Amino acid sequence: MLPVVVVHGGAGHIPKDRAEASTIGVKEAASTGYALLQRGGSAMDAVVEAVALMETNPRFNAGLGSVLNVKGEVEMDALVMDGTTLGSGAVSAVRRIANPVRLARLVMEKTNHLCLTAEGASKFARSMGVPEVPEESLITDYAKMRWKKNLEPDANPNGNIACATSTGGMLNKMEGRVGDTPCVGCGGYADNKVGAVSPTGKTPEEASDLALRYMKERVEGLGGVVVVNPNGTWAARFSSLQMSWAAAQQSQLHFGLFHVVALPNCGKDHLPQGQ
Amino acid sequence: MWQEAEKLFVVNKAASSSHENKLMKTVIVVHGGAWDVPDAAAEATVAGVKNAAQVGDTVLRSGGSAIDAVERAVRCLEDDPTFDAGHGSVLNAAGEVELDSLIMDGKNLAAGAVASVRNIANPVSLARAVMEKTDHVMLTDRGAGMFADSISTPLAHDLVTELELEEWEHSNSYRDGVKRFFNTNRGHDTVGAVALDSFGNVACATSTGGIRNKMVGRVGDSPIIGSGGYADNGSGAVSCTGHGESILKVTLARLILFHMEQGKCALEATNMSLQHMFDRVKGCGGAVVLSSTGEWAASFTTPRMAWATVTEDTLHHGFNQREHFTEKL
């Protein structure tokens, strides 16, 4: 069983001039998360830090760089889930918070609930001393051109699994629109006991492809997933044109953008030593 | 449209029972919440679910859709102050009513949900409007309120009942809060329904005021697809009730249907899933379940859950564990 951190920066169409920055961003997030694991951090620590990095990175549709709703505002959703206990925390349609994934983690750790929405989420943030940031500080010039999601499941040496997801949602969405991201079982799920001995016997890759094909055929929806099982077997699969992703395992950093592996934006790097 | 109906007819013929006119038998199953219902509320609770099931059945028998039937049945329960949905909902930590609801159509997996809405008498109808009038599946809080306003949904300012206000004040003075309800059998008074119509379509609907003294903005399982409910013509329909946080952690509705897809009957799938929820996260609850061929189940791990089913001119109902009464209609 090998520890692994897998991240993605969104499935969809990534314009050429943004591709490099997106690939660098996911590689950085995966490396950071993995380094945390190597230093003895938990799976939850690793996913939260990796996603928080992508929220701070203006290149991704999460936190700073989120797409705007129909009113030009930023409303964000985030989810964390712990595969050991099935503990989970989520926020939906939250405004003026720099790192929704951290707030989602606080929901999990400091309340008896799993999800807080909108005004209630802001009220909770204030009670936790999480600072409110100006709306403008989350809006980039490029905000209207993007739609991405960040998702990161990973496994640490103890075989514990966690996932985290964060998004600004859909461009021009209605106010108060909530997507899949903060919904347990849709935007993410983590269970230490699933996948190691699967009742249907599918590998992460097979399961992902089957599920994506079903979504395409049944409701004409495209998307992508990153998946890991408790053994450390991982997959990054997508039915959309592109998905930037990176996986850190042992001393290797795998990454990709297109379906065909042999393009310049894909490949393997060696992770820096001593990190 | 005619061609589509014909195709359904051919498929359903194999699955349906004995009716000469070859339409599917219709089924509606309704619940009024899985929890430790106090004796004082027993009679009204049982009467409420029986009434709602018959209202839904009237829609189905006159050729109405499963979606219409579940919406009508749940509206009855929202309007009835006995239940924790719409009128009669429990109050949050700030003494206000915040409502969640989900509706889903098994034909095309269309769904609509609202979370944390205020001053709406029938959240299930607002959820249906989200499904039918927007490109989205879920709206929350202020945005949901603005949408309601945009379709001229009247505001309701009388959702707080005296009984609930008293209960809220009582629980505040003893600092009960949500901790007391966590994983216990209290206050899980969500309502819901599943239906199979004569065209072979299934649908589900769930509606709730949530847990007494919940944090402002707390969203439970009820409006979350796959947890509070799910409907898919390919496998069946489910509406869940119980400890919301536990239901979410195991995605209870989807879990039940998964077991049915693997070959288990509705009752076994429901019981296995409820057992898993108890074993894994110590949560209790219940569900009403329908398969795509009209097999149905109502099961719960709390002391009580009022449920009622109408199918083939018979009303089935129960309240305590192992109860199953039948009445010819």
Side-chain angles (χ1 to χ4, degrees):
Chain A
M1 196 286 305
L2 297 167
V4 62
V5 174
V6 194
V7 320
H8 78 71
H13 171 63
I14 305 169
K16 243 186 189 164
D17 58 333
R18 313 276 297 181
E20 195 183 335
S22 187
T23 306
I24 290 170
V26 291
K27 286 167 77 176
E28 190 184 36
S31 308
T32 302
Y34 190 72
L36 241 170
L37 286 187
Q38 297 292 86
R39 290 199 301 272
S42 67
M44 181 57 65
D45 289 335
V47 300
V48 170
E49 284 320 298
V51 170
L53 202 58
M54 288 190 279
E55 284 171 335
T56 312
N57 184 335
R59 300 297 189 172
F60 298 109
N61 174 20
L64 169 65
S66 285
V67 296
L68 309 185
N69 73 9
V70 70
K71 281 281 169 71
E73 302 156 339
V74 171
E75 285 181 302
M76 300 168 287
D77 309 328
L79 169 78
V80 299
M81 188 164 185
D82 184 336
T84 320
T85 58
L86 302 191
S88 176
V91 290
S92 62
V94 70
R95 300 181 62 190
R96 297 185 288 272
I97 300 284
N99 291 106
V101 72
R102 292 199 209 278
L103 188 60
R105 186 177 187 173
L106 287 173
V107 172
M108 177 175 75
E109 293 176 343
K110 306 281 188 198
T111 79
N112 289 324
H113 299 319
L114 255 63
C115 181
L116 294 178
T117 189
E119 306 292 342
S122 295
K123 189 175 150 128
F124 172 64
R126 284 193 291 277
S127 76
M128 291 283 112
V130 171
E132 189 173 289
V133 302
E135 182 102 21
E136 312 79 65
S137 69
L138 297 172
I139 300 178
T140 61
D141 290 340
Y142 193 72
K144 290 195 170 160
M145 313 259 301
R146 301 289 299 278
W147 171 20
K148 275 190 178 165
K149 274 194 220 171
N150 298 322
L151 172 71
E152 167 164 340
D154 80 43
N156 75 11
N158 296 322
N160 293 329
I161 292 187
C163 76
T165 318
S166 183
T167 188
M170 190 190 269
L171 177 59
N172 270 326
K173 61 186 178 176
M174 288 173 70
E175 286 169 278
R177 177 267 189 181
V178 177
D180 65 294
T181 294
C183 298
V184 174
C186 296
Y189 196 78
D191 185 346
N192 283 6
K193 299 187 180 176
V194 169
V197 182
S198 161
T200 57
K202 302 282 186 283
T203 63
E205 185 173 303
E206 287 167 338
S208 301
D209 286 349
L210 270 171
L212 287 169
R213 192 178 325 139
Y214 174 69
M215 186 168 83
K216 190 172 177 179
E217 285 169 359
R218 192 74 199 274
V219 295
E220 292 168 21
L222 299 179
V225 291
V226 291
V227 178
V228 28
N229 73 11
N231 295 329
T233 309
W234 60 271
R237 309 294 288 172
F238 47 104
S239 51
S240 52
L241 200 60
Q242 291 146 305
M243 182 177 85
S244 59
W245 62 270
Q249 189 169 50
Q250 294 186 288
S251 345
Q252 303 221 307
L253 183 62
H254 310 253
F255 58 97
L257 186 60
F258 300 98
H259 288 282
V260 178
V261 175
L263 285 177
N265 290 85
C266 306
K268 272 196 315 203
D269 282 352
H270 284 279
L271 287 166
Q273 296 297 315
Q275 275 196 353
Chain B
M1 185 62 182
W2 174 245
Q3 260 187 330
E4 191 185 11
E6 240 186 353
K7 188 167 135 201
L8 280 171
F9 154 67
V10 170
V11 167
N12 291 338
K13 190 175 162 184
S16 72
S17 47
S18 57
H19 301 290
E20 276 308 303
N21 63 2
K22 307 284 199 308
L23 291 175
M24 289 287 290
K25 70 174 178 184
T26 65
V27 189
I28 178 152
V29 193
V30 160
H31 73 78
W35 64 299
D36 204 358
V37 185
D39 290 341
E43 196 181 326
T45 302
V46 171
V49 297
K50 286 166 79 174
N51 176 55
Q54 289 175 85
V55 165
D57 175 63
T58 304
V59 172
L60 295 173
R61 272 190 297 111
S62 54
S65 66
I67 268 275
D68 283 343
V70 297
E71 186 196 354
R72 287 295 321 276
V74 168
R75 280 181 68 104
C76 280
L77 298 167
E78 285 172 337
D79 292 341
D80 185 337
T82 309
F83 301 98
D84 173 23
H87 281 87
S89 283
V90 299
L91 309 187
N92 69 12
E96 306 151 332
V97 167
E98 283 183 296
L99 305 161
D100 307 329
S101 183
L102 168 73
I103 191 165
M104 187 165 185
D105 186 340
K107 186 163 61 175
N108 50 16
L109 305 189
V114 289
S116 218
V117 287
R118 295 156 191 259
N119 304 118
I120 299 287
N122 295 107
V124 70
S125 297
L126 187 59
R128 185 170 182 178
V130 172
M131 177 174 80
E132 294 177 339
K133 300 187 177 171
T134 80
D135 291 332
H136 301 320
V137 167
M138 185 168 181
L139 294 179
T140 186
D141 200 337
R142 186 189 58 132
M146 294 169 91
F147 171 62
D149 193 49
S150 77
I151 55 169
S152 308
T153 305
L155 289 178
H157 295 289
D158 60 341
L159 300 179
V160 178
T161 60
E162 267 187 45
L163 175 63
E164 283 308 324
L165 197 51
E166 270 172 39
E167 292 280 358
W168 179 76
E169 280 162 354
H170 176 86
S171 66
N172 261 342
S173 54
Y174 284 95
R175 299 193 188 286
D176 279 333
V178 173
K179 276 192 163 58
R180 184 169 163 226
F181 300 144
F182 188 70
N183 283 338
T184 69
N185 295 323
R186 302 226 178 206
H188 302 149
D189 210 0
T190 300
V191 303
V194 290
L196 170 70
D197 64 26
S198 53
F199 308 104
N201 295 319
V202 298
C204 74
T206 307
S207 182
T208 190
I211 295 183
R212 185 170 296 125
N213 257 324
K214 62 185 179 178
M215 289 174 71
V216 175
R218 176 264 189 182
V219 177
D221 66 292
S222 296
I224 307 294
I225 291 174
S227 290
Y230 199 79
D232 181 356
N233 280 6
S235 39
V238 177
S239 170
C240 298
T241 167
H243 183 241
E245 279 71 13
S246 299
I247 291 171
L248 281 166
K249 289 177 184 180
V250 301
T251 60
L252 185 62
R254 198 66 192 87
L255 181 62
I256 292 172
L257 289 174
F258 167 72
H259 285 303
M260 287 163 71
E261 287 161 1
Q262 301 302 306
K264 298 281 188 261
C265 73
L267 184 60
E268 199 180 351
T270 308
N271 289 341
M272 285 173 74
S273 305
L274 287 171
Q275 188 61 48
H276 171 73
M277 185 166 84
F278 184 76
D279 292 338
R280 195 79 193 327
V281 296
K282 298 291 172 279
C284 294
V288 292
V289 176
L290 257 181
S291 78
S292 42
T293 54
E295 187 206 349
W296 62 270
S299 192
F300 49 104
T301 48
T302 48
R304 290 172 157 169
M305 180 181 86
W307 61 269
T309 300
V310 181
T311 186
E312 298 180 296
D313 299 320
T314 306
L315 170 66
H316 305 251
H317 61 97
F319 185 48
N320 296 298
Q321 286 289 338
R322 288 180 294 280
E323 270 180 4
H324 183 162
F325 303 111
T326 55
E327 292 172 30
K328 244 346 186 178
L329 290 175

